[in-house]
Amino acid sequence: MNPRQTCYSFFARLYQFLCQCVNFLRKHNFFSRWPFKGSENEGVFEKWSRRCWKGLIGGFILIWLYFKAVEYNFLYLFGELPNTEQLENPKIPTASEIYTEDGVLLGRYFRENRTPVRYQEISPYLINALIAIEDIRFYDHSGIDLKALVSVVANTLSSLGRSSRGGGSTITQQLAKNLFKTRRDDTHGLLGYIPLLRTVIIKTKEWIVAVNLEKAYSKEEILTMYFNTVDFGSNAYGIKTAAKTFFATTPAEVNLQQAATLVGLLKAPTYYSPVFHPQNAIRRRNLVLAQMEKYGFIDSATLVHTQKLPLEVHFTVEKAEDGTGTYFRGVMNNYLKSWCENNGYDLYADGLKIYTTIDSRMQRYAEEAVAERMKDLQAKFEEHWRGMNPWRDENQREIPNYIENAIRATPIYKELFTRFKGNPAKIDSALKAPRRMTVFSWDGERDTLFSLMDSMAYYRRFLHAGLMAMDPYSGYIRAWVGGINYKYFKFDHVKQSRRQPGSAFKPIVYATAIDSFGYSPCSKMVDGPVTIQYIEKGQKKYWSPHNADWTYSYDTVSLRYAIGRSLNTIVAKIIKEIGWHAVINYARKMGITSPLDTVPSVGLGSCEVSLYELVGAYATFLNGGVWTEPMFITRIEDKNGRIIQRFSPYRRRAMSPETAFLMVYMLRGGLQEPGGTSARLYSFRQLWGNNEIGGKTGTSSNYADGWYIGITKDLVVGTWIGGQDRSIHFRTSDTGEASRTALPLFGIFMEKVYADTTLGVTKGRFPTEKELKIRVTKPYFCPTPIKPKPDSLRILDSLRQIELLFNNTPG
């Protein structure tokens, strides 16, 4: 609007206001009571009248100049007002939402928990209640209700020295206050530091913004923005969140008494809270209902009936960590914050829609599988260490002062150290003082009396887990569980954690040998002692690994048998021949980015990696030798549904298609070779029936970490189980081997996945070389002969071997 139009608009509004003033004076017989009217001094009256009108016009011009000075922030005295762009696109802080690929809401990122709604989604009860209690002439005014304003002024003048009711703010003025934070300290300008003048300036700015809002938006749009911006208390911003928080419903479905309660909250969200002050809430609700009856929105019978109803609150406060996929969302935070910073968005206020690769059903099955497996395993762990503490060194001796040292690394210890100025006695007393707290248990949360030291010792006894499922062809991560309970244990064991993978790293060694050094699954080696001499940090060292059972068979075995039995000696001999540098090079090609020491033991998983990296590496075998970076976001949209960015996976060739095919065949050896480390999967009956599975276990030293990476024709699934640190572990192979800890987690999860026919993940064989249209030149079908066994096991093993040989046949 140019200055001339602004001037015309002002005088039009001024003329309208003057007419309303004259009509008001006439209505109240002001002129008939004037002493000079109708007397001999009538000419004096006319002269006075002209002067009066001149004075009024002059006064209104001064008022106009004042309003313009405020509007344009003359000499920075009044503070800025929103410009045209801000008025047309008001920034309402809105929670960003994260969705699964199948459209299920995973969770939300917010400072103010708000989700906007459209006008059609708001119940008429809410609209009528708001108008009845806040602004009955809403549809008649243009942002400022002059009648209400004059009434407020009159009431204020007549009640000087007494408390007055105040009021007079229209819904549009309240919207202006909510949208543009007109009462914030940094918006008032230089004159805003003068207390009384500050109030006048604030009101003036709200009037100006209200009039501008009325020009820019329809009444329905103003009501919608109002309901989307107001604070209902209890971290509920906007009507959608409030309806869900207090009544577990939607704005379209609230009934009359719920609508009156919610609208009544707006006057003072804490004082009228139906949760914390129910009697106040009932009184306020009933007042809103009375106003609705007064102005004809409801009849008397409805009023009487509704005022007698109880509140019937269903209070649920939504927290940022609520919902499924909590670990997945937690890990994504850093990525999304970085993306928003680089692209000019606010993750917690811009209402972004983030669509992920997660499948809500698989995510649910993964979380269920972790809960089932870990509850059972934790009970075994407690029995295993009954009467003893599980934090042990390599010689199985309890680590002295373990809890004391652990608590010194916590923020609460640092806080106590600062508070008590390093006084050991006071710090120790605070750490050992019992207090009421709620703790996690596998039977549900429980209240207890613990000191901080007790709490630390209690939580350190828990085993933790990680599970990640991935589509090897698209790179889409389908399920991600980073721990046992995000509320109590926020550390993620999929990507954030790095632990020793043990034998789960061996397939990378075999892939290196097959792809670049002429080996095949049928290559033969002797299972016997091996020693490797190498230089580390300038010192000559020797490495002589042994098998897990500390024995050597001295048999000549195939590489497929060796990977199936997880023989350390064969891997060590391969590393001795091809070099550990070559293995590290292939690990990098297959997506292992964690630091790897250039030592021969790297091939046995001595260096720490993440579950995220290892699952991505195994996916290379199924994807024809092409490594695909695990992907967790498909697209990001703005609050209006406009696509800001689409995401596609990064790919690179890591090995030949032939090698990838042979590695899939090698990984089946854990189930098909005699004594294979994956044989425990046969106890999961729902996995079998015209189905092929491959996989590899991994157990680190002292049974501190248990891994299982399993492959099917549709999925790669990685699982990890261990203590919070490597000092917490089982003591024996019967309890601590990966085949007894992590492998069953894979089995439980896959049974759930196969049972859901809607997922498209089905049982079946891996593709043959003909189906893959590749030429395999290296021999790979070399079944291991069956050795005689005791009579008690011979019949059972013979039947199983027949099945294995049948499944082992190519094609």
Side-chain angles (χ1 to χ4, degrees):
M1 184 179 291
N2 60 41
R4 179 175 294 179
Q5 289 174 319
T6 303
C7 185
Y8 288 158
S9 174
F10 167 74
F11 279 109
R13 294 200 300 271
L14 176 60
Y15 175 75
Q16 182 183 14
F17 178 71
L18 289 173
C19 291
Q20 289 176 338
C21 289
V22 172
N23 289 334
F24 179 81
L25 293 173
R26 284 176 177 171
K27 182 178 179 181
H28 291 81
N29 298 318
F30 176 79
F31 295 112
S32 64
R33 294 195 300 270
W34 189 255
F36 297 120
K37 185 168 178 154
S39 68
E40 57 198 13
N41 295 318
E42 189 169 348
V44 176
F45 169 78
E46 291 174 352
K47 188 184 295 185
W48 177 90
S49 180
R50 283 195 300 272
R51 290 177 180 175
C52 185
W53 279 109
K54 287 181 181 179
L56 282 173
I57 292 172
F60 281 121
I61 290 174
L62 289 175
I63 293 173
W64 178 78
L65 290 173
Y66 162 72
F67 269 81
K68 284 300 159 184
V70 173
E71 186 171 359
Y72 293 104
N73 191 20
F74 181 68
L75 296 179
Y76 303 98
L77 295 173
F78 306 97
E80 292 186 355
L81 283 175
N83 56 36
T84 303
E85 182 180 351
Q86 290 171 322
L87 282 171
E88 292 177 352
N89 299 285
K91 191 173 180 63
I92 304 174
T94 304
S96 293
E97 296 177 335
I98 182 167
Y99 290 89
T100 63
E101 192 193 32
D102 51 329
V104 176
L105 179 66
L106 267 179
R108 295 143 59 81
Y109 299 97
F110 56 81
R111 296 187 196 93
E112 297 179 357
N113 188 9
R114 177 188 287 107
T115 302
V117 295
R118 297 171 299 160
Y119 181 79
Q120 295 79 2
E121 298 175 86
I122 303 173
S123 167
Y125 287 133
L126 287 164
I127 294 170
N128 294 339
L130 179 66
I131 291 173
I133 195 68
E134 294 290 343
D135 190 358
I136 192 59
R137 283 178 292 278
F138 173 71
Y139 289 106
D140 300 324
H141 63 66
S142 298
I144 302 173
D145 186 351
L146 292 174
K147 184 174 181 180
L149 189 60
V150 170
S151 176
V152 169
V153 172
N155 287 333
T156 302
L157 292 175
S158 65
S159 60
L160 289 175
R162 307 188 305 271
S163 61
S164 61
R165 291 187 308 166
S169 289
T170 64
I171 289 174
T172 316
Q173 287 173 246
Q174 294 176 44
L175 175 61
K177 178 180 67 175
N178 294 335
L179 272 182
F180 302 108
K181 310 300 182 187
T182 56
R183 306 198 175 192
R184 224 172 43 207
D185 289 340
D186 59 349
T187 64
H188 297 151
L190 297 176
L191 294 178
Y193 293 98
I194 304 173
L196 184 60
L197 197 56
R198 168 177 170 168
T199 303
V200 175
I201 292 172
I202 287 173
K203 276 296 183 183
T204 304
K205 292 168 77 172
E206 289 175 1
W207 290 340
I208 294 171
V209 175
V211 171
N212 290 334
L213 285 172
E214 290 277 351
K215 292 178 185 176
Y217 298 100
S218 67
K219 293 289 186 179
E220 288 75 16
E221 289 172 326
I222 289 172
L223 285 170
T224 304
M225 284 192 289
Y226 181 89
F227 274 114
N228 283 330
T229 56
V230 286
D231 178 8
F232 290 86
S234 299
N235 201 31
Y237 295 85
I239 189 60
K240 184 171 184 178
T241 306
K244 181 180 179 181
T245 298
F246 293 103
F247 296 108
T249 186
T250 65
E253 295 174 341
V254 297
N255 59 35
L256 176 59
Q257 81 93 3
Q258 291 170 343
T261 303
L262 290 171
V263 169
L265 265 173
L266 299 176
K267 184 175 179 64
T270 301
Y271 184 75
Y272 292 115
S273 169
V275 177
F276 305 112
H277 299 98
Q279 294 305 316
N280 295 347
I282 289 174
R283 285 197 304 271
R284 180 65 180 170
R285 178 201 68 180
N286 291 347
L287 176 60
V288 174
L289 292 169
Q291 289 293 101
M292 294 180 73
E293 190 269 341
K294 175 181 177 181
Y295 293 114
F297 293 115
I298 59 175
D299 56 36
S300 299
T302 303
L303 171 66
V304 172
H305 170 73
T306 311
Q307 285 183 334
K308 293 179 180 179
L309 294 175
L311 288 174
E312 296 182 350
V313 175
H314 300 281
F315 184 65
T316 305
V317 177
E318 182 179 359
K319 299 178 182 177
E321 65 264 24
D322 288 345
T324 59
T326 48
Y327 285 97
F328 173 66
R329 287 187 281 129
V331 169
M332 284 181 63
N333 279 356
N334 291 335
Y335 175 84
L336 290 172
K337 286 178 183 177
S338 175
W339 183 91
C340 287
E341 183 178 340
N342 294 334
N343 291 274
Y345 290 94
D346 185 343
L347 178 63
Y348 297 94
D350 284 347
L352 301 176
K353 300 287 190 297
I354 301 130
Y355 291 89
T356 71
T357 62
I358 296 293
D359 184 284
S360 65
R361 296 156 295 180
M362 280 199 209
Q363 181 66 30
R364 184 173 71 253
Y365 300 146
E367 292 179 4
E368 289 174 356
V370 168
E372 290 175 20
R373 177 61 188 148
M374 297 309 295
K375 181 178 182 179
D376 179 62
L377 194 62
Q378 187 66 41
K380 293 178 179 177
F381 188 72
E382 293 294 341
E383 179 64 25
H384 182 79
W385 287 105
R386 183 163 50 169
M388 295 182 288
N389 290 321
W391 34 89
R392 304 279 163 154
D393 61 19
E394 294 182 354
N395 297 315
Q396 301 305 319
R397 293 174 299 198
E398 182 176 341
I399 300 173
N401 301 318
Y402 175 82
I403 297 300
E404 290 80 358
N405 292 332
I407 208 165
R408 286 193 181 97
T410 63
I412 195 167
Y413 182 86
K414 295 174 183 177
E415 179 186 334
L416 291 172
F417 188 89
T418 303
R419 185 194 306 173
F420 297 119
K421 300 179 180 179
N423 187 313
K426 290 184 177 180
I427 296 173
D428 188 63
S429 177
L431 291 174
K432 293 181 179 178
R435 60 182 70 182
R436 288 284 175 191
M437 63 177 67
T438 302
V439 297
F440 167 79
S441 82
W442 281 113
D443 294 320
E445 292 181 328
R446 63 185 182 91
D447 295 326
T448 187
L449 195 65
F450 268 174
S451 69
L452 294 175
M453 295 286 285
D454 295 333
S455 174
M456 176 65 73
Y458 174 79
Y459 281 124
R460 285 288 169 138
R461 299 183 71 92
F462 279 94
L463 293 175
H464 299 271
L467 185 153
M468 174 176 152
M470 173 181 167
D471 181 328
Y473 310 107
S474 66
Y476 285 9
I477 297 172
R478 296 305 195 185
W480 180 310
V481 183
I484 57 176
N485 187 288
Y486 187 74
K487 180 178 179 180
Y488 291 93
F489 308 97
K490 287 185 169 53
F491 190 75
D492 174 73
H493 292 285
V494 170
K495 191 175 185 182
Q496 189 177 5
S497 172
R498 288 188 172 95
R499 302 289 284 259
Q500 289 183 346
S503 296
F505 196 88
K506 289 177 180 176
I508 296 176
V509 178
Y510 286 106
T512 306
I514 292 172
D515 197 57
S516 294
F517 294 91
Y519 289 79
S520 77
C522 293
S523 298
K524 304 287 187 178
M525 285 188 169
V526 176
D527 172 24
V530 57
T531 298
I532 299 176
Q533 177 183 317
Y534 66 102
I535 303 296
E536 182 181 5
K537 296 179 180 179
Q539 293 184 346
K540 183 183 293 185
K541 293 189 176 183
Y542 297 89
W543 181 55
S544 301
H546 53 76
N547 291 323
D549 60 1
W550 293 77
T551 64
Y552 309 102
S553 68
Y554 294 96
D555 291 336
T556 300
V557 299
S558 69
L559 297 194
R560 190 172 191 261
Y561 176 84
I563 194 173
R565 289 294 303 270
S566 196
L567 298 177
N568 294 337
T569 55
I570 304 301
V571 172
K573 289 184 177 182
I574 292 174
I575 289 174
K576 187 175 184 178
E577 293 185 15
I578 69 175
W580 45 95
H581 293 87
V583 174
I584 292 174
N585 180 49
Y586 265 83
R588 298 300 183 212
K589 288 183 180 181
M590 296 171 67
I592 304 297
T593 59
S594 294
L596 298 175
D597 297 331
T598 52
V599 294
S601 63
V602 67
L604 295 185
S606 62
C607 300
E608 296 179 339
V609 300
S610 70
L611 185 60
Y612 173 89
E613 294 172 299
L614 212 52
V615 170
Y618 274 64
T620 307
F621 302 140
L622 284 169
N623 198 30
V626 176
W627 175 76
T628 302
E629 184 178 14
M631 180 176 168
F632 45 76
I633 300 178
T634 57
R635 71 183 188 276
I636 298 178
E637 298 177 357
D638 66 16
K639 63 182 179 181
N640 298 315
R642 181 178 64 89
I643 296 177
I644 303 170
Q645 184 173 341
R646 291 187 184 275
F647 296 81
S648 56
Y650 173 73
R651 305 174 190 272
R652 65 166 173 261
R653 178 157 294 284
M655 63 190 69
S656 70
E658 179 185 13
T659 300
F661 171 82
L662 293 175
M663 284 307 303
V664 171
Y665 185 73
M666 290 276 283
L667 288 172
R668 290 163 57 192
L671 284 148
Q672 295 176 341
E673 292 292 337
T677 56
S678 297
R680 194 171 293 275
L681 278 180
Y682 283 116
S683 63
F684 295 89
R685 297 183 179 181
Q686 301 304 316
L687 300 184
W688 306 108
N690 192 31
N691 193 31
E692 290 180 341
I693 295 176
K696 187 71 192 75
T697 57
T699 308
S700 65
S701 57
N702 289 330
Y703 313 106
D705 305 278
W707 302 71
Y708 191 75
I709 316 295
I711 62 172
T712 72
K713 68 179 183 63
D714 297 318
L715 285 177
V716 180
V717 180
T719 63
W720 168 89
I721 288 175
Q724 184 162 333
D725 57 54
R726 291 181 50 78
S727 301
I728 300 166
H729 50 77
F730 284 101
R731 290 172 291 176
T732 64
S733 61
D734 288 343
T735 52
E737 285 281 0
S739 62
R740 298 177 181 272
T741 58
L743 179 147
L745 178 53
F746 169 86
I748 295 169
F749 172 68
M750 287 307 302
E751 282 192 328
K752 292 176 181 290
V753 169
Y754 282 139
D756 188 341
T757 57
T758 66
L759 289 173
V761 177
T762 58
K763 299 176 184 178
R765 295 176 174 271
F766 291 106
T768 65
E769 55 188 292
K770 291 182 180 179
E771 292 169 339
L772 294 172
K773 297 179 181 179
I774 60 173
R775 184 167 176 262
V776 179
T777 60
K778 296 178 179 179
Y780 61 92
F781 179 62
C782 44
T784 302
I786 304 172
K787 289 187 176 183
K789 290 194 173 183
D791 292 340
S792 59
L793 299 176
R794 189 175 300 164
I795 297 176
L796 180 61
D797 282 354
S798 296
L799 292 173
R800 177 171 293 174
Q801 191 65 21
I802 292 172
E803 180 184 10
L804 295 179
L805 287 172
F806 176 80
N807 289 335
N808 211 12
T809 305

